[in-house]
Amino acid sequence: MPLPLPSGGDKLMGNASISPKGKKTPVAKKKKSKARRVAGKIGRALLTVFLIFVITCTLVGGAVAFYIINFVTPQNINLDSANLDSTTFVYATNSKNETVEVAQISGEQNRVWVSLKDMPENLKNAFVCTEDQRFYEHNGVDWKRTISSFGNLFFHFYETRQGGSTITQQLVNNLTAAGKNSSDYGRKIQEIVNALDLEKRYGKEQILEAYLNTINLNEGCYGVQTAARNYFNKDVKDLDLAECAALACLPKAPSTYDPRYHPEKNTERRVNVVLKNMYKQKKITKEQYEQAINEKLNIAPKKTVSTRGWFEDMVITDVQKDLQTKYGWTADYALNTIYTKGLKIYTTMNTDVQSAMDKIYQDTTNTKYWKQYQGAVQPESAMIIMDYNGNILGVEGGRGKKSGNLIYNRAVDARAARQPGSAIKPLGVYAPAIELNKINWSSLIPCSKITTPDGKLWPKNDDDSNYTGSMTVVRALAKSVNTVAVHIEKDYLSPEYTFDFLKNKLGFTSLVERKVVGNKVYSDKTLSIAIGALTQGVTVKELAGGYQIFGNNGLYYKPHSYTKVLDSKGNVLLENKIKPIQAIGADTAFIMNKLLQSNVTHPEGTGRAAKISGLVVGGKTGTTNDHKDRWFAGITPDYVGVVWFGYDQPKDLGYKGTNPALVVWRSVFQLLPKHKKDFPKNGDVIQERYDPATGYITSTGTEVGWYKVNGYLPTAPVDPELS
């Protein structure tokens, strides 16, 4: 029998009840009231956050406005003179110390000014639709893009950072140094002020014309006319829609979207960005759009341009970097200044030295070193010659005829760093140990291998011999015995000491303190540093810079390619006043000098082939265990010279004869002008006879060595019973 319903006819369902008329019970009202309270709290919290954001933006905006009004003045850019560029001149000296002009720099930045009326509408629209859609509406600054870009720094509306620069702002960056870098808000404000001022004084058409004639379009093309000639062999007025769109791809990243070298990336941006924007903004019809996206560009063959020498390219790069560092300029603006602002660059080049190097390096038919290897690919080489004050006198970044401007330079480019092998030993092992009075000329050092933590015997000597007994320092250096160098490093120095010495005293920049790649840890603070097995190697320039200390009383001067740079009015923009570092004492430097000479004169010396009649020569070979790299670092009374020899893609040279780097070095040095007959004697040192069997100084010694007067003099102990 069913139970009677409660009074009022309600049906119970859990904790909720509904009246026959559909009205909620007090329980449901309580839930709704609680939800309203929670929603109210959330709303008030969001309102508070919003008000804080508004107040913060107001305060920041007010501060920025106050800063702009009181401290930032426009630079009064003159568009009428924007197309008046000047040639930069490069000077060097010859062996008579005469200043001579060696280059004029202007051709790399090729610019021909054309009127806006001579440019097709599609070209103008392509750039505007891609770079600045509201160009004709704003007053120089697109505040919507600027605020959006600023907000994205904090709230990440977009997946990538959004640029806020208008065409007017980009023009400002092309003509001034206002665009130091995107993180410098002071410079950004200056850019904005300049853009606003520019739009007050010039019309949109004048601004657009200047922009399209100054924009960097890669391959040395600045402006649309030279770019049209370069890529399509046409005048700009004759470009079709697809070609106009191809050029409009370039401002975002000129080298990345180069239609000659990266056609796929140019096509992708041309179709998906430039042409699509033009179609969406109704600047082209659907038929024009479809025809343009299916057009295959006909890129003109690359024209042969005048190729500068290795030295001129090196000094351009050095000046560009130093202008960026000193003035905070962008790389593009610094390079633009070099090419167009009529600078005078006084280099450290010695024209006679450079000519001698060119003669050897450009003669690829010489079978002594260029044609003795099997296979179609011949090895490469690089060389630096400098004096003992850090002045680079000549450079070769590769063998044969140089193929272009600002190309890969194996002598100075960080990517060209290679393991120096035994060429590092005088710098990282022998010189520091003699400086600390831990070893001397005739110290006897064990020749045995050491046992590594994993139980292996290491290292291997190049001739796979001399693993027993001991050997004098002079003989071990001459024979380039790896085991002796490692024993000195382990017993008298430390990898940490050598690491710091090379980095802080000799300017080595590529040393790795600790780097993890995958599950493997790399570090140059190991015993391998003693034999040049470095993680990232060294450059030819760094090694040459280190070896200068052996001919100038132990002073290290940072290697440099120019002395000063003047602007078109004669004002000094840059000047290299290098302050030397006392890397080692004069006595240590003199003894090391004599040890390096012994490496050339010693009957077992690896540098014997460097002998040049009538010239005092010292030096050290370098050979890596895998025979992928060969080096020779040599010194004469006038010069320091370092040669690297190997393949760009490292592999065994497969050659066991005379070190080819040494052969190249000797061939060049035979042609160099010579001024000094010998190194001067420096430091408090003495010459003594010693017994090579004991290492002791004795009047009956059969060999002669050099020792520090205030250092450790290895004399035989006196027997107490005989004293």
Side-chain angles (χ1 to χ4, degrees):
M1 181 176 179
L3 296 174
L5 290 173
S7 162
D10 289 344
K11 180 184 280 188
L12 295 176
M13 299 183 66
N15 292 324
S17 61
I18 301 178
S19 67
K21 296 181 180 181
K23 294 183 179 180
K24 294 183 179 178
T25 65
V27 175
K29 290 180 180 180
K30 185 176 181 180
K31 281 190 172 184
K32 185 175 181 180
S33 177
K34 184 177 181 181
R36 285 176 177 174
R37 288 198 301 272
V38 171
K41 289 181 179 180
I42 293 173
R44 286 192 294 273
L46 291 174
L47 179 62
T48 301
V49 171
F50 175 75
L51 290 174
I52 291 173
F53 176 76
V54 171
I55 293 170
T56 301
C57 289
T58 301
L59 291 174
V60 171
V64 170
F66 178 82
Y67 177 82
I68 292 174
I69 293 170
N70 291 277
F71 299 104
V72 184
T73 57
Q75 293 175 295
N76 294 318
I77 299 170
N78 183 6
L79 294 188
D80 297 328
S81 61
N83 61 336
L84 301 178
D85 296 334
S86 303
T87 298
T88 287
F89 294 88
V90 180
Y91 301 96
T93 56
N94 57 26
S95 293
K96 297 179 181 179
N97 205 31
E98 299 169 332
T99 300
V100 293
E101 180 188 312
V102 293
Q104 295 183 13
I105 301 175
S106 61
E108 182 73 12
Q109 185 167 30
N110 189 14
R111 176 182 293 153
V112 177
W113 197 278
V114 292
S115 172
L116 195 67
K117 63 182 177 60
D118 293 326
M119 301 179 193
E121 286 298 314
N122 281 333
L123 181 79
K124 292 178 277 188
N125 290 334
F127 278 87
V128 171
C129 291
T130 305
E131 296 296 314
D132 189 0
Q133 296 179 16
R134 287 180 287 275
F135 172 69
Y136 293 103
E137 302 166 17
H138 61 65
N139 62 347
V141 178
D142 188 336
W143 294 108
K144 180 178 179 181
R145 289 178 64 192
T146 300
I147 294 171
S148 176
S149 177
F150 178 78
N152 192 52
L153 294 174
F154 304 97
F155 298 102
H156 306 294
F157 304 127
Y158 314 105
E159 293 181 0
T160 58
R161 291 185 62 178
Q162 301 295 302
S165 292
T166 63
I167 281 178
T168 311
Q169 288 171 273
Q170 290 182 50
L171 175 61
V172 165
N173 286 337
N174 291 341
L175 301 180
T176 72
K180 177 181 177 183
N181 64 59
S182 59
S183 63
D184 189 324
Y185 298 111
R187 290 280 179 167
K188 192 67 176 177
I189 290 172
Q190 181 68 67
E191 172 197 300
I192 290 173
V193 170
N194 284 339
L196 294 172
D197 176 70
L198 200 66
E199 294 247 2
K200 290 178 182 177
R201 295 186 291 112
Y202 293 96
K204 290 289 185 180
E205 302 234 325
Q206 291 172 290
I207 290 171
L208 184 59
E209 178 178 307
Y211 170 78
L212 291 174
N213 278 290
T214 58
I215 190 69
N216 176 14
L217 298 175
N218 210 39
E219 297 190 27
C221 300
Y222 282 73
V224 291
Q225 171 63 15
T226 52
R229 298 298 304 176
N230 176 62
Y231 294 114
F232 307 112
N233 197 26
K234 293 181 178 181
D235 287 324
V236 66
K237 64 182 177 63
D238 298 322
L239 296 180
D240 66 22
L241 173 59
E243 292 165 342
C244 291
L247 296 187
C249 294
L250 294 169
K252 179 179 175 64
S255 61
T256 301
Y257 296 106
D258 187 307
R260 175 176 286 112
Y261 297 114
H262 301 287
E264 300 86 0
K265 290 185 177 181
N266 184 278
T267 298
E268 181 182 4
R269 181 167 172 78
R270 184 171 74 250
V271 171
N272 296 329
V273 178
V274 181
L275 291 170
K276 184 175 288 187
N277 283 346
M278 294 180 73
Y279 176 58
K280 286 183 176 179
Q281 294 170 53
K282 299 181 180 180
K283 299 299 181 183
I284 56 175
T285 65
K286 184 176 182 181
E287 291 73 22
Q288 289 175 308
Y289 169 74
E290 291 178 348
Q291 180 180 352
I293 64 174
N294 292 311
E295 180 179 332
K296 184 177 180 181
L297 295 180
N298 183 20
I299 302 298
K302 180 68 175 176
K303 294 181 180 179
T304 302
V305 297
S306 176
T307 302
R308 294 187 297 264
W310 290 107
F311 201 108
E312 289 90 333
D313 271 4
M314 175 180 65
V315 79
I316 287 173
T317 301
D318 290 347
V319 170
Q320 178 189 20
K321 290 178 180 177
D322 290 348
L323 287 172
Q324 289 178 252
T325 300
K326 182 173 181 178
Y327 297 104
W329 295 346
T330 62
D332 279 347
Y333 184 78
L335 193 59
N336 180 59
T337 298
I338 295 170
Y339 284 134
T340 67
K341 301 307 178 184
L343 307 185
K344 289 181 171 58
I345 302 174
Y346 293 88
T347 75
T348 58
M349 180 203 292
N350 182 301
T351 56
D352 297 312
V353 171
Q354 187 65 57
S355 294
M357 297 171 71
D358 290 343
K359 183 174 182 179
I360 298 302
Y361 269 80
Q362 293 179 15
D363 180 15
T364 56
T365 63
N366 194 319
T367 57
K368 286 183 180 179
Y369 33 86
W370 301 136
K371 293 291 186 180
Q372 56 184 311
Y373 297 87
Q374 296 181 355
V377 179
Q378 289 290 304
E380 270 294 351
S381 182
M383 185 177 192
I384 287 274
I385 295 178
M386 58 190 296
D387 65 15
Y388 290 100
N389 295 310
N391 296 301
I392 299 175
L393 306 178
V395 61
E396 298 290 343
R399 68 180 186 88
K401 185 178 181 181
K402 189 164 173 280
S403 60
N405 291 327
L406 296 178
I407 61 174
Y408 178 49
N409 187 328
R410 298 167 185 84
V412 300
D413 198 309
R415 295 171 297 163
R418 299 297 179 90
Q419 291 189 8
S422 298
I424 203 71
K425 294 173 184 174
L427 299 174
V429 178
Y430 289 99
I434 291 175
E435 176 71 8
L436 296 173
N437 295 320
K438 300 294 185 180
I439 63 172
N440 56 63
W441 185 284
S442 58
S443 294
L444 290 175
I445 310 296
C447 297
S448 60
K449 293 182 178 182
I450 66 169
T451 303
T452 62
D454 58 0
K456 295 181 180 179
L457 292 175
W458 177 86
K460 178 183 177 182
N461 288 327
D462 193 44
D463 60 2
D464 210 15
S465 62
N466 300 312
Y467 294 119
T468 60
S470 299
M471 188 179 294
T472 60
V473 163
V474 62
R475 185 176 178 221
L477 181 59
K479 286 175 60 64
S480 196
V481 180
N482 288 337
T483 50
V484 169
V486 169
H487 270 286
I488 295 173
E489 184 72 25
K490 180 177 71 72
D491 300 336
Y492 301 115
L493 299 170
S494 70
E496 291 77 14
Y497 185 90
T498 294
F499 182 99
D500 291 339
F501 179 78
L502 293 174
K503 179 180 179 181
N504 299 320
K505 293 295 183 69
L506 301 184
F508 281 41
T509 61
S510 54
L511 297 176
V512 174
E513 186 162 358
R514 188 176 188 274
K515 181 172 71 173
V516 180
V517 180
N519 296 322
K520 193 170 182 178
V521 178
Y522 295 89
S523 174
D524 290 327
K525 288 188 174 181
T526 69
L527 288 175
S528 294
I529 198 172
I531 56 175
L534 305 179
T535 305
Q536 295 178 171
V538 298
T539 63
V540 178
K541 182 170 75 171
E542 286 176 339
L543 202 60
Y547 267 77
Q548 70 181 310
I549 67 174
F550 301 136
N552 66 358
N553 296 326
L555 295 174
Y556 170 78
Y557 292 85
K558 183 179 179 181
H560 52 282
S561 62
Y562 69 91
T563 55
K564 62 182 177 180
V565 178
L566 307 181
D567 67 15
S568 59
K569 297 180 180 179
N571 301 310
V572 176
L573 282 178
L574 297 171
E575 190 166 14
N576 267 325
K577 294 182 177 180
I578 307 297
K579 294 182 179 180
I581 296 172
Q582 191 73 54
I584 55 176
D587 47 7
T588 299
F590 184 83
I591 291 171
M592 284 301 306
N593 183 294
K594 292 296 185 180
L595 283 170
L596 292 174
Q597 289 184 44
S598 181
N599 186 37
V600 176
T601 60
H602 195 284
E604 297 179 286
T606 59
R608 297 190 307 278
K611 291 180 183 178
I612 298 175
S613 178
L615 184 64
V616 177
V617 176
K620 182 71 188 73
T621 54
T623 305
T624 55
N625 283 339
D626 50 16
H627 300 286
K628 293 178 181 178
D629 299 290
R630 295 291 186 95
W631 297 78
F632 186 72
I635 58 173
T636 68
D638 292 300
Y639 311 106
V640 180
V642 173
V643 174
W644 165 81
F645 197 95
Y647 288 98
D648 282 338
Q649 300 299 321
K651 66 177 181 178
D652 190 336
L653 284 164
Y655 177 70
K656 307 299 182 183
T658 302
N659 186 329
L662 195 159
V663 178
V664 173
W665 185 94
R666 184 176 184 274
S667 299
V668 171
F669 268 69
Q670 283 180 313
L671 303 176
L672 297 181
K674 303 167 184 62
H675 305 287
K676 301 173 184 176
K677 293 184 178 180
D678 200 355
F679 292 95
K681 181 181 178 182
N682 293 310
D684 201 359
V685 297
I686 55 174
Q687 191 176 32
E688 297 284 357
R689 290 189 169 275
Y690 69 93
D691 179 0
T694 63
Y696 295 143
I697 293 176
T698 172
S699 60
T700 59
T702 58
E703 297 187 16
V704 177
W706 289 90
Y707 301 87
K708 295 164 68 172
V709 171
N710 298 319
Y712 166 56
L713 296 176
T715 55
V718 178
D719 190 332
E721 296 182 0
L722 300 177
S723 62

